[in-house]
Every structure is written in structure tokens, then in C-alpha cells.
mmCIF file of all heavy atoms in Angstrom:
data_model
loop_
_atom_site.group_PDB
_atom_site.id
_atom_site.type_symbol
_atom_site.label_atom_id
_atom_site.label_comp_id
_atom_site.label_asym_id
_atom_site.label_seq_id
_atom_site.Cartn_x
_atom_site.Cartn_y
_atom_site.Cartn_z
ATOM 1 N N ASP A 563 -0.842 1.225 3.179
ATOM 2 C CA ASP A 563 0.072 1.558 4.268
ATOM 3 C C ASP A 563 -0.192 3.007 4.674
ATOM 4 O O ASP A 563 0.506 3.934 4.284
ATOM 5 C CB ASP A 563 1.530 1.368 3.820
ATOM 6 C CG ASP A 563 2.537 1.690 4.899
ATOM 7 O OD1 ASP A 563 2.173 2.246 5.959
ATOM 8 O OD2 ASP A 563 3.738 1.412 4.672
ATOM 9 N N GLU A 564 -1.250 3.181 5.454
ATOM 10 C CA GLU A 564 -1.693 4.520 5.838
ATOM 11 C C GLU A 564 -0.651 5.282 6.641
ATOM 12 O O GLU A 564 -0.498 6.490 6.475
ATOM 13 C CB GLU A 564 -3.009 4.465 6.614
ATOM 14 C CG GLU A 564 -4.221 4.459 5.744
ATOM 15 C CD GLU A 564 -4.291 5.648 4.791
ATOM 16 O OE1 GLU A 564 -4.199 6.811 5.225
ATOM 17 O OE2 GLU A 564 -4.441 5.411 3.582
ATOM 18 N N GLU A 565 0.081 4.615 7.490
ATOM 19 C CA GLU A 565 1.075 5.307 8.306
ATOM 20 C C GLU A 565 2.131 5.977 7.419
ATOM 21 O O GLU A 565 2.422 7.167 7.570
ATOM 22 C CB GLU A 565 1.741 4.336 9.274
ATOM 23 C CG GLU A 565 2.742 5.004 10.191
ATOM 24 C CD GLU A 565 3.357 4.043 11.186
ATOM 25 O OE1 GLU A 565 2.824 2.939 11.413
ATOM 26 O OE2 GLU A 565 4.399 4.421 11.756
ATOM 27 N N THR A 566 2.672 5.218 6.474
ATOM 28 C CA THR A 566 3.681 5.778 5.576
ATOM 29 C C THR A 566 3.066 6.827 4.670
ATOM 30 O O THR A 566 3.614 7.923 4.502
ATOM 31 C CB THR A 566 4.347 4.668 4.745
ATOM 32 O OG1 THR A 566 4.983 3.746 5.636
ATOM 33 C CG2 THR A 566 5.375 5.236 3.779
ATOM 34 N N ASN A 567 1.921 6.526 4.071
ATOM 35 C CA ASN A 567 1.308 7.473 3.140
ATOM 36 C C ASN A 567 0.905 8.779 3.816
ATOM 37 O O ASN A 567 1.078 9.851 3.235
ATOM 38 C CB ASN A 567 0.123 6.832 2.414
ATOM 39 C CG ASN A 567 0.590 5.983 1.253
ATOM 40 O OD1 ASN A 567 1.244 6.465 0.342
ATOM 41 N ND2 ASN A 567 0.269 4.700 1.293
ATOM 42 N N GLN A 568 0.417 8.718 5.034
ATOM 43 C CA GLN A 568 0.073 9.952 5.740
ATOM 44 C C GLN A 568 1.321 10.772 6.058
ATOM 45 O O GLN A 568 1.300 12.005 5.970
ATOM 46 C CB GLN A 568 -0.703 9.635 7.013
ATOM 47 C CG GLN A 568 -2.124 9.215 6.721
ATOM 48 C CD GLN A 568 -2.905 8.863 7.983
ATOM 49 O OE1 GLN A 568 -2.423 9.010 9.098
ATOM 50 N NE2 GLN A 568 -4.120 8.396 7.797
ATOM 51 N N ALA A 569 2.418 10.106 6.388
ATOM 52 C CA ALA A 569 3.675 10.815 6.657
ATOM 53 C C ALA A 569 4.197 11.469 5.380
ATOM 54 O O ALA A 569 4.688 12.609 5.401
ATOM 55 C CB ALA A 569 4.706 9.859 7.238
ATOM 56 N N VAL A 570 4.088 10.763 4.247
ATOM 57 C CA VAL A 570 4.512 11.324 2.964
ATOM 58 C C VAL A 570 3.604 12.495 2.590
ATOM 59 O O VAL A 570 4.082 13.548 2.149
ATOM 60 C CB VAL A 570 4.542 10.237 1.863
ATOM 61 C CG1 VAL A 570 4.811 10.846 0.489
ATOM 62 C CG2 VAL A 570 5.585 9.174 2.196
ATOM 63 N N ASP A 571 2.291 12.349 2.781
ATOM 64 C CA ASP A 571 1.348 13.452 2.526
ATOM 65 C C ASP A 571 1.770 14.700 3.297
ATOM 66 O O ASP A 571 1.865 15.795 2.738
ATOM 67 C CB ASP A 571 -0.072 13.088 2.987
ATOM 68 C CG ASP A 571 -0.711 11.955 2.228
ATOM 69 O OD1 ASP A 571 -0.223 11.591 1.141
ATOM 70 O OD2 ASP A 571 -1.717 11.419 2.752
ATOM 71 N N ALA A 572 2.010 14.535 4.579
ATOM 72 C CA ALA A 572 2.377 15.660 5.442
ATOM 73 C C ALA A 572 3.679 16.306 4.972
ATOM 74 O O ALA A 572 3.823 17.534 4.995
ATOM 75 C CB ALA A 572 2.489 15.202 6.892
ATOM 76 N N SER A 573 4.618 15.486 4.524
ATOM 77 C CA SER A 573 5.896 16.014 4.064
ATOM 78 C C SER A 573 5.719 16.828 2.778
ATOM 79 O O SER A 573 6.337 17.894 2.624
ATOM 80 C CB SER A 573 6.896 14.878 3.878
ATOM 81 O OG SER A 573 8.203 15.376 3.747
ATOM 82 N N TYR A 574 4.887 16.362 1.857
ATOM 83 C CA TYR A 574 4.599 17.145 0.648
ATOM 84 C C TYR A 574 3.956 18.478 1.021
ATOM 85 O O TYR A 574 4.321 19.532 0.486
ATOM 86 C CB TYR A 574 3.671 16.384 -0.312
ATOM 87 C CG TYR A 574 4.404 15.539 -1.317
ATOM 88 C CD1 TYR A 574 4.501 14.163 -1.154
ATOM 89 C CD2 TYR A 574 5.007 16.107 -2.437
ATOM 90 C CE1 TYR A 574 5.183 13.381 -2.073
ATOM 91 C CE2 TYR A 574 5.687 15.324 -3.366
ATOM 92 C CZ TYR A 574 5.768 13.967 -3.175
ATOM 93 O OH TYR A 574 6.446 13.192 -4.091
ATOM 94 N N LEU A 575 2.978 18.433 1.923
ATOM 95 C CA LEU A 575 2.276 19.655 2.313
ATOM 96 C C LEU A 575 3.208 20.646 3.010
ATOM 97 O O LEU A 575 3.052 21.864 2.857
ATOM 98 C CB LEU A 575 1.084 19.312 3.206
ATOM 99 C CG LEU A 575 -0.056 18.586 2.487
ATOM 100 C CD1 LEU A 575 -1.058 18.039 3.490
ATOM 101 C CD2 LEU A 575 -0.737 19.509 1.483
ATOM 102 N N GLU A 576 4.181 20.136 3.732
ATOM 103 C CA GLU A 576 5.120 21.019 4.420
ATOM 104 C C GLU A 576 6.194 21.554 3.469
ATOM 105 O O GLU A 576 6.420 22.760 3.378
ATOM 106 C CB GLU A 576 5.794 20.276 5.575
ATOM 107 C CG GLU A 576 6.796 21.135 6.325
ATOM 108 C CD GLU A 576 7.469 20.383 7.453
ATOM 109 O OE1 GLU A 576 6.911 19.389 7.954
ATOM 110 O OE2 GLU A 576 8.583 20.790 7.825
ATOM 111 N N LYS A 577 6.874 20.663 2.768
ATOM 112 C CA LYS A 577 8.002 21.075 1.927
ATOM 113 C C LYS A 577 7.557 21.975 0.774
ATOM 114 O O LYS A 577 8.262 22.914 0.404
ATOM 115 C CB LYS A 577 8.741 19.851 1.385
ATOM 116 C CG LYS A 577 9.994 20.210 0.585
ATOM 117 C CD LYS A 577 10.807 18.990 0.208
ATOM 118 C CE LYS A 577 12.051 19.385 -0.595
ATOM 119 N NZ LYS A 577 12.849 18.206 -0.971
ATOM 120 N N TYR A 578 6.396 21.710 0.223
ATOM 121 C CA TYR A 578 5.932 22.452 -0.950
ATOM 122 C C TYR A 578 4.691 23.294 -0.634
ATOM 123 O O TYR A 578 3.842 23.503 -1.503
ATOM 124 C CB TYR A 578 5.671 21.482 -2.106
ATOM 125 C CG TYR A 578 6.927 20.744 -2.508
ATOM 126 C CD1 TYR A 578 7.133 19.417 -2.141
ATOM 127 C CD2 TYR A 578 7.938 21.388 -3.213
ATOM 128 C CE1 TYR A 578 8.303 18.752 -2.488
ATOM 129 C CE2 TYR A 578 9.103 20.728 -3.561
ATOM 130 C CZ TYR A 578 9.279 19.411 -3.199
ATOM 131 O OH TYR A 578 10.441 18.749 -3.535
ATOM 132 N N ALA A 579 4.633 23.801 0.572
ATOM 133 C CA ALA A 579 3.476 24.576 1.029
ATOM 134 C C ALA A 579 3.171 25.782 0.147
ATOM 135 O O ALA A 579 2.014 26.198 0.040
ATOM 136 C CB ALA A 579 3.681 25.031 2.473
ATOM 137 N N ASP A 580 4.187 26.332 -0.499
ATOM 138 C CA ASP A 580 3.982 27.513 -1.341
ATOM 139 C C ASP A 580 3.356 27.182 -2.696
ATOM 140 O O ASP A 580 3.038 28.095 -3.454
ATOM 141 C CB ASP A 580 5.317 28.237 -1.576
ATOM 142 C CG ASP A 580 5.846 28.869 -0.300
ATOM 143 O OD1 ASP A 580 5.074 29.053 0.654
ATOM 144 O OD2 ASP A 580 7.056 29.174 -0.268
ATOM 145 N N SER A 581 3.194 25.904 -2.996
ATOM 146 C CA SER A 581 2.634 25.518 -4.287
ATOM 147 C C SER A 581 1.218 24.957 -4.129
ATOM 148 O O SER A 581 0.962 24.149 -3.239
ATOM 149 C CB SER A 581 3.504 24.445 -4.949
ATOM 150 O OG SER A 581 2.851 23.964 -6.114
ATOM 151 N N GLU A 582 0.368 25.357 -5.028
ATOM 152 C CA GLU A 582 -0.997 24.818 -5.024
ATOM 153 C C GLU A 582 -1.016 23.319 -5.307
ATOM 154 O O GLU A 582 -1.969 22.629 -4.988
ATOM 155 C CB GLU A 582 -1.855 25.549 -6.055
ATOM 156 C CG GLU A 582 -1.367 25.339 -7.483
ATOM 157 C CD GLU A 582 -2.085 26.185 -8.508
ATOM 158 O OE1 GLU A 582 -1.687 27.353 -8.659
ATOM 159 O OE2 GLU A 582 -3.012 25.665 -9.146
ATOM 160 N N TYR A 583 0.056 22.796 -5.906
ATOM 161 C CA TYR A 583 0.115 21.377 -6.251
ATOM 162 C C TYR A 583 0.451 20.478 -5.060
ATOM 163 O O TYR A 583 0.326 19.260 -5.153
ATOM 164 C CB TYR A 583 1.115 21.137 -7.383
ATOM 165 C CG TYR A 583 0.681 21.801 -8.659
ATOM 166 C CD1 TYR A 583 1.308 22.959 -9.090
ATOM 167 C CD2 TYR A 583 -0.368 21.289 -9.417
ATOM 168 C CE1 TYR A 583 0.902 23.594 -10.257
ATOM 169 C CE2 TYR A 583 -0.779 21.916 -10.579
ATOM 170 C CZ TYR A 583 -0.140 23.068 -10.993
ATOM 171 O OH TYR A 583 -0.543 23.687 -12.142
ATOM 172 N N SER A 584 0.854 21.060 -3.944
ATOM 173 C CA SER A 584 1.177 20.227 -2.778
ATOM 174 C C SER A 584 -0.040 19.433 -2.320
ATOM 175 O O SER A 584 0.095 18.291 -1.897
ATOM 176 C CB SER A 584 1.734 21.066 -1.635
ATOM 177 O OG SER A 584 0.762 21.971 -1.150
ATOM 178 N N VAL A 585 -1.222 20.018 -2.450
ATOM 179 C CA VAL A 585 -2.446 19.314 -2.057
ATOM 180 C C VAL A 585 -2.708 18.160 -3.018
ATOM 181 O O VAL A 585 -3.021 17.046 -2.597
ATOM 182 C CB VAL A 585 -3.648 20.285 -2.000
ATOM 183 C CG1 VAL A 585 -4.947 19.520 -1.771
ATOM 184 C CG2 VAL A 585 -3.431 21.321 -0.912
ATOM 185 N N THR A 586 -2.542 18.405 -4.316
ATOM 186 C CA THR A 586 -2.732 17.352 -5.316
ATOM 187 C C THR A 586 -1.784 16.191 -5.072
ATOM 188 O O THR A 586 -2.162 15.021 -5.178
ATOM 189 C CB THR A 586 -2.511 17.908 -6.739
ATOM 190 O OG1 THR A 586 -3.416 18.991 -6.946
ATOM 191 C CG2 THR A 586 -2.730 16.839 -7.790
ATOM 192 N N MET A 587 -0.520 16.511 -4.735
ATOM 193 C CA MET A 587 0.477 15.465 -4.520
ATOM 194 C C MET A 587 0.210 14.652 -3.258
ATOM 195 O O MET A 587 0.796 13.593 -3.074
ATOM 196 C CB MET A 587 1.875 16.076 -4.463
ATOM 197 C CG MET A 587 2.322 16.685 -5.781
ATOM 198 S SD MET A 587 2.328 15.528 -7.168
ATOM 199 C CE MET A 587 3.717 14.490 -6.725
ATOM 200 N N SER A 588 -0.670 15.140 -2.402
ATOM 201 C CA SER A 588 -0.942 14.436 -1.145
ATOM 202 C C SER A 588 -2.353 13.855 -1.089
ATOM 203 O O SER A 588 -2.857 13.537 -0.019
ATOM 204 C CB SER A 588 -0.705 15.376 0.039
ATOM 205 O OG SER A 588 -1.533 16.514 -0.053
ATOM 206 N N THR A 589 -2.986 13.724 -2.257
ATOM 207 C CA THR A 589 -4.329 13.141 -2.313
ATOM 208 C C THR A 589 -4.404 12.124 -3.451
ATOM 209 O O THR A 589 -3.542 12.063 -4.312
ATOM 210 C CB THR A 589 -5.403 14.234 -2.527
ATOM 211 O OG1 THR A 589 -5.102 14.968 -3.704
ATOM 212 C CG2 THR A 589 -5.477 15.173 -1.331
ATOM 213 N N GLU A 590 -5.466 11.317 -3.434
ATOM 214 C CA GLU A 590 -5.695 10.356 -4.519
ATOM 215 C C GLU A 590 -6.076 11.115 -5.778
ATOM 216 O O GLU A 590 -6.698 12.163 -5.682
ATOM 217 C CB GLU A 590 -6.805 9.369 -4.136
ATOM 218 C CG GLU A 590 -6.442 8.432 -3.010
ATOM 219 C CD GLU A 590 -5.304 7.476 -3.331
ATOM 220 O OE1 GLU A 590 -4.905 7.358 -4.511
ATOM 221 O OE2 GLU A 590 -4.801 6.863 -2.399
ATOM 222 N N PRO A 591 -5.719 10.610 -6.944
ATOM 223 C CA PRO A 591 -5.077 9.337 -7.215
ATOM 224 C C PRO A 591 -3.546 9.371 -7.152
ATOM 225 O O PRO A 591 -2.907 8.322 -7.224
ATOM 226 C CB PRO A 591 -5.536 9.000 -8.629
ATOM 227 C CG PRO A 591 -5.643 10.332 -9.298
ATOM 228 C CD PRO A 591 -6.130 11.280 -8.210
ATOM 229 N N VAL A 592 -2.956 10.556 -7.027
ATOM 230 C CA VAL A 592 -1.490 10.652 -7.023
ATOM 231 C C VAL A 592 -0.884 9.853 -5.870
ATOM 232 O O VAL A 592 0.149 9.196 -6.015
ATOM 233 C CB VAL A 592 -1.031 12.134 -6.958
ATOM 234 C CG1 VAL A 592 0.486 12.235 -6.873
ATOM 235 C CG2 VAL A 592 -1.556 12.896 -8.169
ATOM 236 N N ARG A 593 -1.534 9.881 -4.758
ATOM 237 C CA ARG A 593 -1.041 9.222 -3.544
ATOM 238 C C ARG A 593 -0.685 7.746 -3.765
ATOM 239 O O ARG A 593 0.251 7.225 -3.177
ATOM 240 C CB ARG A 593 -2.134 9.347 -2.492
ATOM 241 C CG ARG A 593 -1.770 8.957 -1.140
ATOM 242 C CD ARG A 593 -2.994 9.282 -0.273
ATOM 243 N NE ARG A 593 -2.598 9.386 1.089
ATOM 244 C CZ ARG A 593 -2.976 8.527 2.018
ATOM 245 N NH1 ARG A 593 -3.778 7.517 1.717
ATOM 246 N NH2 ARG A 593 -2.579 8.689 3.254
ATOM 247 N N ARG A 594 -1.420 7.071 -4.628
ATOM 248 C CA ARG A 594 -1.164 5.636 -4.837
ATOM 249 C C ARG A 594 0.085 5.376 -5.679
ATOM 250 O O ARG A 594 0.475 4.233 -5.870
ATOM 251 C CB ARG A 594 -2.384 4.958 -5.454
ATOM 252 C CG ARG A 594 -2.603 5.284 -6.914
ATOM 253 C CD ARG A 594 -3.861 4.694 -7.461
ATOM 254 N NE ARG A 594 -4.954 5.382 -6.797
ATOM 255 C CZ ARG A 594 -6.225 5.088 -6.935
ATOM 256 N NH1 ARG A 594 -6.573 4.116 -7.726
ATOM 257 N NH2 ARG A 594 -7.144 5.762 -6.294
ATOM 258 N N ASN A 595 0.713 6.441 -6.185
ATOM 259 C CA ASN A 595 1.912 6.328 -7.015
ATOM 260 C C ASN A 595 3.175 6.659 -6.220
ATOM 261 O O ASN A 595 4.071 7.337 -6.703
ATOM 262 C CB ASN A 595 1.811 7.268 -8.221
ATOM 263 C CG ASN A 595 0.561 7.026 -9.025
ATOM 264 O OD1 ASN A 595 0.170 5.883 -9.248
ATOM 265 N ND2 ASN A 595 -0.076 8.080 -9.461
ATOM 266 N N THR A 596 3.229 6.189 -5.000
ATOM 267 C CA THR A 596 4.342 6.513 -4.100
ATOM 268 C C THR A 596 5.430 5.450 -4.166
ATOM 269 O O THR A 596 5.160 4.260 -4.082
ATOM 270 C CB THR A 596 3.839 6.618 -2.641
ATOM 271 O OG1 THR A 596 2.768 7.562 -2.585
ATOM 272 C CG2 THR A 596 4.956 7.046 -1.699
ATOM 273 N N LEU A 597 6.677 5.930 -4.316
ATOM 274 C CA LEU A 597 7.832 5.056 -4.310
ATOM 275 C C LEU A 597 8.817 5.540 -3.258
ATOM 276 O O LEU A 597 9.061 6.736 -3.137
ATOM 277 C CB LEU A 597 8.551 5.074 -5.664
ATOM 278 C CG LEU A 597 7.779 4.609 -6.888
ATOM 279 C CD1 LEU A 597 8.620 4.797 -8.144
ATOM 280 C CD2 LEU A 597 7.360 3.158 -6.740
ATOM 281 N N GLU A 598 9.384 4.594 -2.523
ATOM 282 C CA GLU A 598 10.518 4.919 -1.668
ATOM 283 C C GLU A 598 11.767 4.799 -2.532
ATOM 284 O O GLU A 598 11.898 3.887 -3.349
ATOM 285 C CB GLU A 598 10.622 3.990 -0.469
ATOM 286 C CG GLU A 598 11.793 4.385 0.426
ATOM 287 C CD GLU A 598 11.887 3.607 1.715
ATOM 288 O OE1 GLU A 598 11.015 2.744 1.977
ATOM 289 O OE2 GLU A 598 12.843 3.856 2.470
ATOM 290 N N VAL A 599 12.673 5.747 -2.366
ATOM 291 C CA VAL A 599 13.941 5.749 -3.101
ATOM 292 C C VAL A 599 15.019 5.271 -2.141
ATOM 293 O O VAL A 599 15.303 5.919 -1.134
ATOM 294 C CB VAL A 599 14.258 7.162 -3.629
ATOM 295 C CG1 VAL A 599 15.555 7.142 -4.423
ATOM 296 C CG2 VAL A 599 13.109 7.696 -4.474
ATOM 297 N N VAL A 600 15.586 4.113 -2.450
ATOM 298 C CA VAL A 600 16.555 3.464 -1.568
ATOM 299 C C VAL A 600 17.919 3.427 -2.265
ATOM 300 O O VAL A 600 18.022 2.898 -3.374
ATOM 301 C CB VAL A 600 16.097 2.028 -1.228
ATOM 302 C CG1 VAL A 600 17.102 1.340 -0.317
ATOM 303 C CG2 VAL A 600 14.704 2.046 -0.604
ATOM 304 N N PRO A 601 18.958 3.986 -1.625
ATOM 305 C CA PRO A 601 20.273 3.960 -2.265
ATOM 306 C C PRO A 601 20.805 2.545 -2.408
ATOM 307 O O PRO A 601 20.562 1.691 -1.548
ATOM 308 C CB PRO A 601 21.146 4.788 -1.320
ATOM 309 C CG PRO A 601 20.475 4.703 -0.002
ATOM 310 C CD PRO A 601 18.995 4.563 -0.283
ATOM 311 N N GLN A 602 21.531 2.297 -3.495
ATOM 312 C CA GLN A 602 22.167 1.000 -3.694
ATOM 313 C C GLN A 602 23.634 1.112 -3.309
ATOM 314 O O GLN A 602 24.286 2.093 -3.629
ATOM 315 C CB GLN A 602 22.069 0.569 -5.160
ATOM 316 C CG GLN A 602 20.713 0.046 -5.521
ATOM 317 C CD GLN A 602 20.743 -0.630 -6.860
ATOM 318 O OE1 GLN A 602 20.136 -0.165 -7.803
ATOM 319 N NE2 GLN A 602 21.448 -1.734 -6.944
#
């Protein structure tokens, strides 16, 4: 689901721009470990 994953990548890069790990969190293999958190 490239549309969702690219949006999540961009959000990590924006929200955590001050951290060197923002790039890691927005690339493989971490990228494939994405979960949506849905309230019950």
C-alpha cells in the first residue's frame, strides 16, 4: 500500500526531523512493520 506507506514515511520525516532515526523509520525494513492504531 504505497499511498499509505509514503504518507506515513513523510509524517515520520516531518515529525521527527530532528532525529537521525527518522530516516530509518521511513525506509525498509522498518517500513514493512507499520500498524494503524484504531480506537475501540
Side-chain angles (χ1 to χ4, degrees):
D563 180 350
E564 274 304 306
E565 182 178 343
T566 300
N567 279 301
Q568 286 179 5
V570 173
D571 295 345
S573 194
Y574 269 102
L575 291 168
E576 179 181 337
K577 184 173 180 180
Y578 299 104
D580 292 342
S581 173
E582 64 187 83
Y583 295 105
S584 65
V585 173
T586 302
M587 294 302 289
S588 59
T589 56
E590 292 296 348
V592 177
R593 190 176 200 247
R594 73 185 67 185
N595 305 319
T596 305
L597 299 176
E598 182 174 358
V599 182
V600 180
Q602 283 192 246

